[in-house]
Amino acid sequence: MDTCFGIDIGGTGIKGAPVDTAAGRLLHERLRLLTPQPSAPEAVLEVVGDIVTRFSWRGPVGVTFPGVVVDGVTRTAANVDRGWIDLDARRLLAEALHAPVTLVNDADAAGMAEMRFGAGRGRRGTVLVLTFGTGIGSALFHNGVLVPNTEFGHLELHGRKAEHHASGNVREEHDLSWEQWAHRVSHYLRYLEMLFSPSLFVIGGGVSKKADKFLPHVRHVRAEIVPAALHNDAGIVGAALAAQALRGDAPLPQFPTGVPDAANSRESPEP
Ligand code: BGC
């Protein structure tokens, strides 16, 4: 069986579980611990180590991060401690876990999992996977190929960042009804539609389980809109998919694992 461990670091919680990467499902109920506050790198690394240890896991670990990740280096930190900015986090994680580690953006991971096993499976054309949680994450695909680190949650909407207007947390903090929140989401989706003309929006994050409460109120969007099939587990599954490349399997096309060595460049033709 193809098995890797997936860890999804979020602004609020850190979740992990071993994953059957061929079937795209968790092999064990996930463990969720609170993200330490402040979420400084050392404190988060400790929690990640704790989760991996509690499963007695040995082997490759895929980790997601809620910010831009380029070649394993975390470049931004909108919803976590600023100590993550320009940190070689993949290397630190590998040292802390004594294991090979891949590191990717959280929404990119969730998007890859949805495209492979969930609501985007087999879908060609332009697909936008959005996660509504502490922030808004985005993963843009064309014919199944990911454009990493798109960060569409930071587009400006009504004079502020979209994620400060329409994230899952904003709905809770401002006590918005599902209908009121759906109204904000509609504006956001129409804006994205104007820019990218996707044929499909996949709505992920915790809210995906409550799709029946808000999707009927999302209006005037041309593209099809569906909830994520893997719900909040998509990040864990996507993280494990990225780590699968460390097992010597062919990496998924265009999935930046954060490993700048052979595992990530195996697809390149020999010179
Ligand atoms: C971050 C993204 C992340 C999203 C969801 C945003 O604030 O900039 O990188 O994907 O939150 O966690």
Side-chain angles (χ1 to χ4, degrees):
M1 186 191 292
D2 298 329
T3 314
C4 281
F5 202 90
I7 294 255
D8 192 13
I9 299 178
T12 316
I14 302 177
K15 304 172 288 224
V19 177
D20 173 348
T21 50
R25 59 181 182 84
L26 307 194
L27 287 166
H28 195 285
E29 195 180 334
R30 72 182 191 196
L31 176 62
R32 180 181 188 274
L33 300 178
L34 286 179
T35 305
Q37 301 299 340
S39 49
E42 313 77 58
V44 170
L45 288 182
E46 207 166 298
V47 174
V48 169
D50 194 12
I51 293 177
V52 173
T53 308
R54 289 214 216 169
F55 282 93
S56 309
W57 174 260
R58 288 184 175 278
V61 180
V63 182
T64 79
F65 177 75
V68 171
V69 183
V70 179
D71 294 338
V73 175
T74 45
R75 295 275 186 221
T76 65
N79 293 309
V80 284
D81 186 83
R82 293 182 58 80
W84 287 91
I85 294 174
D86 290 335
L87 191 72
D88 191 350
R90 194 196 65 79
R91 185 177 58 77
L92 293 178
L93 281 158
E95 283 169 9
L97 300 176
H98 306 292
V101 168
T102 56
L103 186 65
V104 294
N105 171 264
D106 58 352
D108 286 346
M112 285 304 294
E114 286 296 327
M115 293 303 284
R116 201 146 207 226
F117 300 109
R121 191 173 181 161
R123 294 292 295 246
R124 299 190 56 81
T126 303
V127 176
L128 244 177
V129 180
L130 300 168
T131 60
F132 291 81
T134 311
I136 298 179
S138 59
L140 175 67
F141 294 87
H142 186 67
N143 291 344
V145 175
L146 172 72
V147 180
N149 293 311
T150 45
E151 295 288 314
F152 295 153
H154 295 257
L155 286 172
E156 195 176 305
L157 191 69
H158 302 305
R160 45 194 162 149
K161 284 182 182 203
E163 70 177 15
H164 293 163
H165 184 65
S167 72
N169 272 29
V170 165
R171 186 189 70 78
E172 287 171 15
E173 279 160 19
H174 295 261
D175 215 10
L176 300 177
S177 68
W178 285 106
E179 191 169 352
Q180 286 170 321
W181 183 68
H183 190 67
R184 294 185 178 202
V185 172
S186 302
H187 275 272
Y188 180 49
L189 298 188
R190 289 203 289 271
Y191 188 35
L192 288 167
E193 185 155 67
M194 186 267 288
L195 293 171
F196 302 105
S197 303
S199 52
L200 176 69
F201 283 110
V202 178
I203 308 295
V207 295
S208 56
K209 285 190 209 125
K210 303 284 167 98
D212 55 323
K213 296 201 189 297
F214 68 90
L215 275 189
H217 302 296
V218 175
R219 305 250 162 80
H220 307 300
V221 178
R222 203 178 296 227
E224 189 183 348
I225 310 170
V226 295
L230 303 176
H231 301 299
N232 234 353
D233 290 341
I236 299 176
V237 173
L241 283 179
Q244 190 66 38
L246 298 168
R247 288 224 186 266
D249 292 10
L252 297 171
Q254 303 280 316
F255 195 18
T257 58
V259 184
D261 56 21
N264 219 16
S265 56
R266 204 171 300 113
E267 277 194 325
S268 320
E270 294 292 323

